[in-house]
Amino acid sequence: MKQSDVNMEQVKSVSDLPGSKEEWIGMNDADAKVIRIQQHYGIQFPQGYLDFIQLHGGMSFDRMQGTEVQDWDIRFHLLDDQFIANNAELVDEVNPDPQWIIPIVWSVSSGNNYLLDYRQNKETPSVLFMEHELAMVREDAESEADTSEEAQRFMEENVQPIATHFEAFVTLLQARPSLG
C-alpha cells in the first residue's frame, strides 16, 4: 500500500499505519498534510508542482507575457492545515467545480487566482486563470440563470485556460526581487 492510499484523517499514531513503521518514519508533517489535501480532493498533485513549491514556495512572482507584466506579486498557497478551509472560504463560491478545480496560487496585488483543473486530465491538470474582479459568485449565477446548466455556463466564464500543464505555467513566471 502506498502512502497516498492511506486515509490520514483516521491515523492517530504511527502504529495505525499499514506496512512497516520504517516505511512511514521518513514521512514528515508536510508530506502528511499534502496527502490529506490530495485525499480531500481525490487528486494527486503533479510532482513538478510539489517540487516547485518545495524550492520556491515562499517566493513572490510576476506573470509575464514577453516583457510585459500581466499579474504581479503572485504567491503559492501553503500546503498546510488551512489549505482546504481557505479555498472553501475564499474561492469556492466563484469556482465552477471546487472538487476538480483546485486553487494553488493567488496574486496579492490583484486578488486573481490560478487553479489546477483536473476535469479533463487527472494526471496532468491544466492551469486556469480566474480574474478576481470579473468572477461571478454561484448565488448570482443561479439567480440570473433560467436553468442549472445556464448557471454552470456563467460559472465556467469565471476561469480561462492559461497553460496546458503546470510546467508550462511556470515558464510564465518571473521571480520578483526580494525587498530584504
Side-chain angles (χ1 to χ4, degrees):
M1 177 175 282
K2 299 182 303 191
Q3 290 179 353
S4 59
D5 294 334
V6 175
N7 183 346
M8 295 303 289
E9 292 173 1
Q10 297 174 348
V11 173
K12 304 298 182 224
S13 72
V14 174
S15 62
D16 294 335
L17 296 167
S20 70
K21 290 180 186 176
E22 291 76 22
E23 292 177 85
W24 292 90
I25 297 299
M27 184 173 70
N28 61 32
D29 189 47
D31 293 336
K33 289 175 184 175
V34 169
I35 290 169
R36 280 189 215 106
I37 293 166
Q38 291 178 138
Q39 287 181 335
H40 173 81
Y41 290 108
I43 56 97
Q44 282 284 133
F45 286 122
Q47 191 59 49
Y49 163 68
L50 295 173
D51 293 344
F52 185 87
I53 61 171
Q54 186 173 14
L55 290 172
H56 308 290
M59 294 176 62
S60 181
F61 298 88
D62 292 332
R63 180 173 58 89
M64 307 297 292
Q65 184 171 351
T67 59
E68 297 289 318
V69 175
Q70 298 296 305
D71 208 356
W72 55 95
D73 205 1
I74 295 170
R75 299 183 188 175
F76 284 80
H77 295 295
L78 297 175
L79 294 175
D80 62 9
D81 291 329
Q82 295 303 305
F83 183 89
I84 296 164
N86 287 343
N87 284 342
E89 181 179 329
L90 302 173
V91 184
D92 281 3
E93 70 177 12
V94 293
N95 188 338
D97 192 348
Q99 180 62 41
W100 296 110
I101 301 176
I102 316 301
I104 58 165
V105 181
W106 72 292
S107 171
V108 174
S109 61
S110 67
N112 296 334
N113 285 281
Y114 298 83
L115 312 95
L116 291 175
D117 183 1
Y118 286 88
R119 295 176 298 177
Q120 300 297 315
N121 188 330
K122 304 287 188 245
E123 283 143 33
T124 309
S126 61
V127 180
L128 303 176
F129 170 71
M130 179 186 292
E131 190 167 346
H132 168 72
E133 294 293 325
L134 301 178
M136 179 181 278
V137 296
R138 185 167 307 282
E139 181 180 350
D140 291 345
E142 290 170 350
S143 70
E144 289 187 27
D146 293 327
T147 65
S148 60
E149 291 81 13
E150 185 179 27
Q152 184 61 32
R153 277 196 304 278
F154 289 153
M155 295 300 295
E156 290 293 336
E157 292 174 4
N158 287 346
V159 293
Q160 304 300 321
I162 193 165
T164 56
H165 52 82
F166 181 77
E167 288 77 7
F169 173 66
V170 168
T171 66
L172 305 175
L173 302 180
Q174 177 178 307
R176 290 181 63 83
S178 70
L179 300 173

